[in-house]
């Protein structure tokens, strides 16, 4: 088994070196590769990535910023692994949790695993951010009669072939809701494991806004209204 860790990056010159180092220093139970897509950064992000010297790392660049969904699309079509997981470069997620995501797959308990964040005073960006996340997750559970704990989690692990088959169209943060909506519509219920999380502030570069929450609700409603795909 080979795992492709997909890292979308946009204007992360302060954190990207640490993000790459942390991702590569984890003791994984399988072979890995780190596929990084610089999504049109205007700072020194790409220069810093050019200095990375590790055969497990592949770097790609968008000439202009296209959004997280577009960066993941480029990464997944450049991945050579059997499974994939997304890891943002903002240091909010701990790559040491990735082996925990892999364990249910290695044990044969499932192929799709989500990292479930438990929000606390030290890990929440704001009250409204947490409530927005819970609201979107609740909407998905009501619409699809499911019970997942964290729809917007970055840590979504699944087979590369499965992600490609979802045909994700969202270019920005809406890809999180689209991925989950399409999985739930197919009857795929993600296995969940608890993970650590530390949200950064708007001043530190937090990019997601309330508009992304509204878009997520629209996407979930749209996916629920579509017919279930034939197997």
């Amino acid at each position: 088994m080979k795992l492709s860790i997909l890292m979308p990056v946009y204007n992360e010159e302060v954190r990207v070196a640490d993000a790459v180092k942390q991702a590569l220093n984890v003791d994984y139970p399988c072979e890995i590769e780190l596929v990084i897509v610089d999504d049109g950064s205007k700072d020194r992000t790409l220069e810093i990535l050019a200095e990375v010297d590790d055969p497990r790392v592949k770097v790609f660049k968008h000439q202009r910023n296209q959004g997280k969904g577009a960066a993941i699309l480029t990464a997944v079509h450049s991945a050579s692994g059997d499974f994939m997981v997304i890891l943002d470069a903002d240091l909010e997620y701990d790559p040491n949790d990735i082996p925990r995501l892999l364990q249910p797959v290695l044990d044969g308990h499932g192929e799709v695993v989500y990292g479930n964040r438990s929000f606390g005073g030290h890990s929440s960006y704001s009250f409204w951010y947490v409530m927005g996340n819970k609201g979107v997750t609740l909407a998905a559970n009501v619409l699809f009669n499911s019970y997942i704990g964290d729809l917007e989690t970055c840590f979504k692990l699944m087979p590369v072939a499965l992600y490609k088959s979802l045909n994700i169209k969202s270019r920005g943060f809406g890809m999180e809701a689209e991925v989950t909506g399409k999985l739930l519509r197919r009857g795929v219920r993600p296995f969940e494991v608890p993970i650590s999380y530390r949200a950064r502030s708007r001043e530190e570069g937090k990019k997601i806004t309330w508009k992304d929450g509204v878009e997520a609700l629209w996407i979930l409603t749209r996916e629920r209204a579509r017919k279930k795909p034939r197997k």
Side-chain angles (χ1 to χ4, degrees), residues 55-70:
R56 295 172 294 174
V57 177
K58 296 190 289 189
V59 179
F60 300 89
K61 175 178 172 57
H62 288 170
Q63 292 302 318
R64 60 180 179 81
N65 180 247
Q66 300 179 44
K68 180 176 180 178

Side-chain angles (χ1 to χ4, degrees), residues 161-173:
L162 174 58
Y163 190 94
K164 289 180 178 179
S165 74
L166 296 177
N167 194 25
I168 302 301
K169 299 294 187 182
S170 300
R171 309 292 283 182
F173 291 113

